[in-house]
Amino acid sequence: MNTAPATLLRSAAELEALGRAAGARRAVVMTMGALHDGHATLIRAARAAAGPEGQVVVTVFVNPLQFGEAADLDRYPRTLDADLAVASEAGADAVFAPSVDEVYPGGDPQVRITAGPMGERLEGAARPGHFDGMLTVVAKLLHLTRPDAAFFGQKDAQQLALVRRMARDLNFGIDIVAVPTVRDPDGLALSSRNRFLSAEERSTALALPRALFAARDRLAAQQTLHARARTVPEREGRADALTRLGEARAAADTQAVALARPTVAPSAVLAAARAVLDEAAEQDVPLTLDYVALVDPADFTDVPDDRAVGEAVLAVAARVGATRLIDNIPLTLGALT
């Protein structure tokens, strides 16, 4: 493992000249800079995977194709000196920070990667063209860096899903590795955009993780309730059985009692999240919800009530003041055994 400061590379030629030992694995972490502890976690994971003889390359590039508004592009923080320090401390060997002209030498590329139907949902609907631009630059950077594995955070769950789909559909032959979301002690997911929040705005923004955790807790409670209810003799009525278990509130829940589903309905999970988000919308500094959705992680389609089995992602996006934030948590829905 290289303990020296990460080497700053500004061109494709410098990157090509970096080289690596025969048989050594190369891991890449793609960022737009403004690195924080979440990025450092990705770099450390890449370092561990690459091993002491391997190589970790961090890319820092604010990709104009991903931004729908020029003002948002101009506002994005650029902190290369600090990024080099974070990357070095986390174990990176090199930081590839090319200019726009280096990545797109002929101007905006005429040929681009298209995200397809998944790229039109949720974040894609809110930010048309965003995922096409993201996949185009990820494809270019994968070709330039030629890694064995690329590391992405689960916080950008839809981006992660699309990169995985692109790598599979287009035979990139690269491992796409997911790293869990990193959160501040108050629960807010780490993001370069958090620096734009005032103290009052941050207080409101905490509704995002609270909503996700409330939904997770609702899911766990209902699954526990159903498991307990299954121990009651079948001759007893379901509502009476649940009341007998001391779950008067749950006995009044039409999802848990009247329908008596073996799985927990997505509508109940979403209702728990929406209750927290609706309350935040009434704060002095309000939260403006873009979406909250329970989706299949494979294609980001909504999970229907009648097929609520398997892995799912509960995703939320909202604006607080001028800052737009996203967050999500993975959930497991399934029939009880």
Side-chain angles (χ1 to χ4, degrees), residues 62-236:
V62 182
N63 179 31
L65 299 188
Q66 292 177 229
F67 291 83
E69 299 178 7
D72 198 23
L73 172 62
D74 292 341
R75 186 178 182 229
Y76 199 88
R78 292 161 172 82
T79 57
L80 184 56
D81 289 343
D83 294 343
L84 278 167
V86 172
S88 297
E89 185 174 354
D93 296 290
V95 171
F96 178 48
S99 66
V100 172
D101 289 340
E102 182 70 22
V103 176
Y104 304 121
D108 287 354
Q110 296 185 36
V111 176
R112 307 187 187 195
I113 301 291
T114 299
M118 195 193 329
E120 298 172 358
R121 299 171 187 138
L122 299 186
E123 283 300 291
R127 305 168 66 187
H130 167 73
F131 286 127
D132 290 357
M134 179 276 294
L135 289 178
T136 298
V137 79
V138 167
K140 285 184 68 83
L141 291 173
L142 287 175
H143 288 313
L144 287 168
T145 57
R146 301 177 188 175
D148 299 286
F151 289 72
F152 293 85
Q154 288 182 346
K155 175 181 168 290
D156 297 298
Q158 194 171 2
Q159 170 180 277
L160 171 63
L162 280 162
V163 171
R164 280 178 162 162
R165 188 60 184 257
M166 177 183 71
R168 181 171 68 249
D169 286 356
L170 301 184
N171 302 102
F172 271 64
I174 295 168
D175 293 331
I176 305 301
V177 183
V179 177
T181 301
V182 180
R183 299 181 181 276
D184 273 329
D186 60 9
L188 195 65
L190 296 188
S191 169
S192 301
R193 297 177 186 272
N194 290 353
R195 68 185 65 200
F196 299 130
L197 297 170
S198 67
E200 295 80 7
E201 289 170 342
R202 186 181 178 98
S203 179
T204 296
L206 292 176
L208 271 71
R210 284 202 306 268
L212 297 177
F213 299 153
R216 179 195 61 191
D217 293 345
R218 176 68 178 274
L219 174 64
Q222 285 200 307
Q223 288 177 330
T224 299
L225 173 63
H226 282 298
R228 292 175 63 191
R230 287 171 64 87
T231 67
V232 176
E234 292 184 3
R235 66 178 178 273
E236 299 187 30

